[in-house]
Amino acid sequence: MATGPDPAKTARGNLPPLSLHVPEPNFRPGDPVDYSFLDIPPPGLLPRPDETCPATETTPLCSGMVRVLGNDHRAVGPWDPKLDPETLRRMLRAMALTRAFDDRMYRGQRQGKTSFYMKCTGEEATSVASTFALAADDMVFPSYRQQGILIARGYPLTEMINQIYSNKADKLKGRQLPIMYSCREHNFFTISGNLATQYPQAVGWAMASAIKGDSRIATAWVGEGSSAEGDFHAAMTFAAVYNAPVVLNVVNNQWAISSFSGFAGAERSTFANRAVGYGIAGIRVDGNDALAVYAATRWAANRARANGGPTLIEHFTYRAEGHSTSDDPSAYRSAHEREEWPLGDPIMRLKRHLIELGEWSLEQQEAMDAELVDLVKAATKEAEKNGILGHGLHHPFHTMFEDVYKELPWHLEEQAEQAIRERQTKWPEWKPE
Amino acid sequence: MTEAVTTVRRLNMIEAINEALHVMMERDCNVVVFGEDVGYFGGVFRATAGLQKAFGKHRVFDTPINECGIIGAAVGMGAYGLRPVPEIQFADYIYPGLDQLISEAARLRYRSAGEFIAPLTVRSPFGGGIFGGQTHSQSPEALFTHVAGLKTVIPCTPYDAKGLLISAIEDDDPVIFFEPKRIYNGPFSGYYDKPVEPWAKHEGSEVPEGYYTVPLGKARIVQEGEAMSVIAYGTMIHVAQAVCREKGIDAEIIDLRTLVPLDIETVEKSVKKTGKCLIIHEATRTGGFGGELSALVQERCFYHLEAPIERVTGFDTPYPHSLEWAYFPGPVRIGEAVDRLMKA
């Protein structure tokens, strides 16, 4: 007879029933908001270790928060990147342009010019300030809310809008969902709708760069919600194992559509803390502080370039708008969340900082905002000349079958002939341009 | 383009694969090989033996046990400009990497309109016959043939294995290269009580040194015949040959070599000539590639068919460890189908 615990004698009666914990956000629609539970340290508090330090030295940075700009709009502490006013103004301009672009495209979607749009309002620093801290030829593997990268890198707005409208000038031939840009020339990897897939790819790119003895590094962005994907952990493992020259960003904007960050594990730990278990450097940064974002990215990029290995940066920020034009945040979160977000607005904070430095004024800001609105308007008009979504079938039908493979196999050629033949029946009035 | 060939030697398929990797790593410094155990050890089947010593740790290295990471990193490397040749130790373990293959590698060229490509060749031993149980024996090729943007290649001889692998590595599209591990060391008749015969004397084991290619998308007529067309790939070619030999059937046996792109022309021509079609694969029946082949043959050759199309496949169960030989589509199952076709 086997020995072992006797099931009949196992104590059960006095044990409390087990209960499942289902996370619940602090506020729901109609609730007042109290952010006092958030631990937001004053700026300048955390040390800035040497870029080549052992990863363990960054552990305090993973649970703290790197901040540079204070409530007085001054830059303080060891993380102050001490940028010259001209760079600060260019950064402010790129962030403001991103917001102006978002506003226009949002309206465009509401006017039926495209099917879908995603704003990054409140998160502009996490892409723009990061990009300013990278070299232009560093490869970026963005998620879908990093339009600020393309804008910061000077990608033509008209090209972006052509893509959003899927019109005849869309260089992606109308295949991709609006906002899923691709631009090899600007070292911007094609965006996937499958979440976090770009993470191991960025690590692979960085490994390739190291294999070839290149000096370029890779960076990737993912939302805090997507950090729950297996790909995130695959990427972290590979990055750690091969000491890959990569900067991995988690944009913690608190919401993954209607699921709050608790469903990705935020109740238990910060996202930056995940770096600790992998033995890589980690930094948690005030994502609405452009100077802090710049400084953290610069630190991580320098570290990667010096063969110091990967860094995970958590950008603690807030998604001020809905997830996309197909989302209604008022159905799941308190309207006061945005208003009372304690880390403010990244554009306003940078603007105030420049004014505090005596390098900017409200009048200049007003003039710049007006100029940017006109700039976006002109780009939109230009793009509309190439058509908008749903106005005509912009691309020759044969393009649907191209680029599946380098060369067209027989079965796709047959199917292309079918599609072109059907055109005569489906749209007899339509003439290819 | 086939270059001048000097010596001819007889190799095992695994040796031919190893040689193809050597040749390509030598020719193109962007070819990198990685996967679980492939570095110092040279892979559990020894496919990558000697590569790390010859080409260094930067180009041949072990990876964490993480297929999503292996294939995801390969996609990124491909986007950089390398030609990654990752190994998935067994095809059964490819599933954690499927999203990276199906949603990413397969669509990269399409979604970026040609700006980014994923020229990776995923090598993986597949199929049963080595008592690997349900986790070391699967034939998941149909999954990949269903995905637009992937190419699926399966060699059946050492000569083809080397030439096809070189073509796959040179190909700018992502290729799934399934290696029938049962015939790594020699042809297999399908009888579990008869061992694999060494490749030494067999056709297809004469492998030229150096570089040569076997093009993707071109089937091979293994033997010409009039009685029926037998369409198969990998291990099943050898079993089909053995059965037809034993029964004295004058069958035309076609080794597809690549499932996508498929050489429909060769299949069509053969079936129109023989009027009968037998399709064999080891993978489970429902939704298997045999269904696609059968439909294509029906669409294109219906008025030439003298009998219903026959499919011989594995059963719709996982691969059972102790009953592996009852599962395997061996000579009995194939023989019955051949008899039915002959009587028709």
Side-chain angles (χ1 to χ4, degrees):
Chain A
M1 278 293 286
T3 55
D6 178 352
K9 288 184 182 166
T10 307
R12 284 272 177 257
N14 293 332
L15 289 175
L18 296 169
S19 80
L20 182 72
H21 172 67
V22 180
E24 182 61 28
N26 287 297
F27 324 111
R28 285 298 192 188
D31 288 346
V33 164
D34 176 6
Y35 279 119
S36 59
F37 68 93
L38 279 184
D39 184 17
I40 297 169
L45 195 70
L46 288 169
R48 184 185 183 281
D50 189 87
E51 286 149 0
T52 56
C53 73
T56 46
E57 232 177 274
T58 65
T59 301
L61 306 179
C62 294
S63 40
M65 193 185 290
V66 168
R67 305 182 69 217
V68 172
L69 290 172
N71 291 338
D72 57 0
H73 308 298
R74 290 187 186 178
V76 291
W79 286 93
D80 177 5
K82 300 202 171 13
L83 293 172
D84 62 275
E86 183 48 34
T87 304
L88 291 175
R89 278 190 293 263
R90 282 196 295 119
M91 208 146 89
L92 178 68
R93 183 185 165 88
M95 285 164 63
L97 179 54
T98 303
R99 187 165 294 182
F101 184 79
D102 273 1
D103 287 343
R104 183 89 199 180
M105 290 301 104
Y106 183 89
R107 274 188 287 138
Q109 191 274 340
R110 290 298 191 246
Q111 291 162 356
K113 292 175 184 170
T114 186
S115 59
F116 182 78
Y117 192 73
M118 297 175 113
K119 295 174 100 174
C120 67
T121 311
E123 300 170 47
E124 290 88 349
T126 64
S127 55
V128 172
S130 293
T131 306
F132 268 70
L134 297 168
D137 58 357
D138 287 336
M139 189 72 186
V140 301
F141 289 77
S143 178
Y144 47 66
R145 219 183 294 280
Q146 277 80 48
Q147 53 267 51
I149 298 171
L150 283 173
I151 287 172
R153 283 190 168 173
Y155 188 59
L157 298 181
T158 309
E159 285 290 337
M160 293 174 75
I161 305 169
N162 287 335
Q163 197 281 317
I164 291 166
Y165 288 171
S166 293
N167 63 24
K168 68 182 178 196
D170 171 12
K171 73 189 183 79
L172 303 184
K173 303 181 187 175
R175 294 170 184 160
Q176 269 280 42
L177 200 62
I179 60 98
M180 296 215 174
Y181 315 100
S182 173
C183 183
R184 194 181 174 90
E185 207 188 329
H186 286 74
N187 300 299
F188 186 98
F189 192 70
T190 155
I191 296 173
S192 177
N194 291 41
L195 299 178
T197 52
Q198 72 276 19
Y199 243 51
Q201 293 164 3
V203 173
W205 196 98
M207 288 168 67
S209 189
I211 287 167
K212 299 302 277 184
D214 198 342
S215 61
R216 293 176 292 164
I217 63 167
T219 48
W221 280 257
V222 75
E224 92 286 347
S226 317
S227 73
E229 290 280 9
D231 293 59
F232 174 89
H233 302 277
M236 293 289 280
T237 302
F238 272 62
V241 167
Y242 300 106
N243 208 42
V246 64
V247 182
L248 298 167
N249 296 285
V250 174
V251 180
N252 177 3
N253 69 9
Q254 316 299 325
W255 291 94
I257 308 189
S258 72
S259 300
F260 85 116
S261 56
F263 283 100
E267 290 178 329
R268 312 286 167 172
S269 178
T270 70
F271 292 95
N273 263 333
R274 293 184 183 180
V276 179
Y278 288 97
I280 72 173
I283 305 172
R284 187 160 173 261
V285 64
D286 174 353
N288 289 12
D289 177 344
L291 294 187
V293 169
Y294 178 96
T297 309
R298 195 58 186 251
W299 186 94
N302 288 345
R303 180 178 177 83
R305 245 182 271 284
N307 276 313
T311 304
L312 179 73
I313 302 177
E314 174 186 350
H315 302 262
F316 195 77
T317 182
Y318 186 75
R319 194 191 76 206
E321 294 283 349
H323 168 70
S324 73
T325 45
S326 309
D327 176 38
D328 173 16
S330 72
Y332 54 81
R333 70 184 188 188
S334 167
H336 301 294
E337 272 195 26
R338 174 181 179 170
E339 292 163 22
E340 296 183 30
W341 180 248
L343 294 174
D345 176 297
I347 296 179
M348 293 307 123
R349 283 173 73 188
L350 187 55
K351 175 184 85 175
R352 287 280 164 205
H353 174 58
L354 268 163
I355 291 171
E356 181 66 33
L357 288 176
E359 293 288 347
W360 196 242
S361 67
L362 286 174
E363 293 72 34
Q364 279 172 295
Q365 179 79 25
E366 212 173 289
M368 183 180 78
D369 283 342
E371 183 215 330
L372 295 178
V373 166
D374 287 345
L375 194 70
V376 175
K377 200 171 167 184
T380 310
K381 287 227 158 107
E382 193 59 33
E384 280 178 15
K385 286 183 195 161
N386 303 315
I388 57 175
L389 183 70
H391 283 213
L393 299 148
H394 297 294
H395 297 273
F397 285 19
H398 197 269
T399 62
M400 177 161 50
F401 302 90
E402 294 163 6
D403 302 317
V404 178
Y405 298 96
K406 189 176 182 185
E407 278 145 25
L408 223 60
W410 62 268
H411 64 289
L412 289 186
E413 197 58 82
E414 278 186 8
Q415 290 165 27
E417 282 161 21
Q418 169 78 21
I420 292 162
R421 203 164 54 240
E422 281 176 18
R423 185 183 66 200
Q424 313 304 334
T425 316
K426 285 182 182 168
W427 299 282
E429 72 292 350
W430 182 70
K431 299 271 177 290
E433 289 170 54
Chain B
M1 280 286 286
T2 304
E3 283 180 7
V5 160
T6 50
T7 336
V8 168
R9 299 105 357 104
R10 290 190 181 274
L11 297 184
N12 282 348
M13 185 185 282
I14 197 77
E15 292 166 337
I17 287 163
N18 183 270
E19 206 168 270
L21 293 170
H22 266 279
V23 168
M24 287 314 291
M25 293 200 78
E26 183 89 8
R27 278 174 75 93
D28 182 352
C29 64
N30 289 316
V31 175
V32 288
V33 168
F34 51 93
E36 293 154 30
D37 302 311
V38 305
Y40 184 85
F41 179 53
V44 293
F45 290 101
R46 321 298 300 142
T48 56
L51 288 175
Q52 191 178 70
K53 205 170 174 193
F55 300 102
K57 283 188 191 173
H58 270 76
R59 292 183 61 199
V60 184
F61 50 87
D62 288 338
T63 62
I65 303 172
N66 189 316
E67 290 75 13
C68 162
I70 292 170
I71 296 169
V75 171
M77 289 179 191
Y80 179 93
L82 300 187
R83 290 195 173 270
V85 190
E87 175 180 298
I88 300 297
Q89 202 161 67
F90 287 91
D92 312 64
Y93 304 146
I94 208 163
Y95 308 115
L98 272 193
D99 188 47
Q100 286 289 346
L101 276 174
I102 291 176
S103 311
E104 301 294 314
R107 294 193 211 148
L108 212 55
R109 179 192 295 280
Y110 195 74
R111 80 176 196 224
S112 69
E115 278 197 339
F116 296 97
I117 61 169
L120 49 140
T121 301
V122 180
R123 290 184 40 251
S124 192
F126 87 125
I130 61 156
F131 283 104
Q134 54 179 309
T135 54
H136 297 78
S137 309
Q138 292 165 42
S139 300
E141 66 272 17
L143 273 177
F144 300 95
T145 62
H146 193 55
V147 177
L150 295 180
K151 293 180 176 172
T152 305
V153 179
I154 297 167
C156 146
T157 65
Y159 178 91
D160 276 5
K162 182 174 171 185
L164 286 168
L165 183 53
I166 289 175
S167 290
I169 295 170
E170 287 186 332
D171 200 284
D172 280 342
D173 294 316
V175 178
I176 313 299
F177 194 87
F178 279 133
E179 299 165 5
K181 59 181 172 287
R182 182 65 193 168
I183 54 170
Y184 266 156
N185 297 313
F188 170 59
S189 64
Y191 291 98
Y192 71 94
D193 50 352
K194 287 187 196 162
V196 160
E197 297 175 48
W199 271 109
K201 289 178 187 167
H202 282 275
E203 202 188 327
S205 68
E206 290 184 350
V207 180
E209 273 183 32
Y211 174 91
Y212 69 93
T213 60
V214 172
L216 307 186
K218 286 271 171 233
R220 175 175 69 103
I221 298 177
V222 178
Q223 63 181 52
E224 291 191 6
E226 303 290 334
M228 67 182 68
S229 301
V230 178
I231 302 160
Y233 46 88
T235 307
M236 301 321 296
I237 291 289
H238 301 279
V239 186
Q241 268 184 297
V243 172
C244 290
R245 201 165 43 233
E246 275 169 29
K247 288 185 172 283
I249 305 286
D250 175 31
E252 180 144 297
I253 302 181
I254 295 172
D255 170 13
L256 290 177
R257 283 176 169 159
T258 62
L259 309 189
V260 177
L262 181 71
D263 182 358
I264 190 65
E265 223 174 284
T266 300
V267 170
E268 191 178 334
K269 206 172 144 197
S270 175
V271 176
K272 281 182 177 167
K273 180 177 82 171
T274 64
K276 292 174 182 178
C277 178
L278 169 61
I279 296 162
I280 310 174
H281 61 63
E282 195 182 325
T284 48
R285 189 177 187 83
T286 303
F289 193 67
E292 178 63 28
L293 279 172
S294 170
L296 283 167
V297 168
Q298 191 277 143
E299 284 164 3
R300 285 158 193 265
C301 312
F302 181 75
Y303 294 107
H304 295 80
L305 287 174
E306 293 159 18
I309 300 164
E310 285 278 351
R311 266 191 301 165
V312 174
T313 67
F315 296 130
D316 286 340
T317 71
Y319 226 107
H321 181 238
S322 66
L323 294 177
E324 205 169 81
W325 295 110
Y327 176 96
F328 190 82
V332 174
R333 208 174 307 155
I334 294 171
E336 281 180 4
V338 166
D339 290 345
R340 279 196 298 273
L341 280 176
M342 288 307 287
K343 277 182 209 149

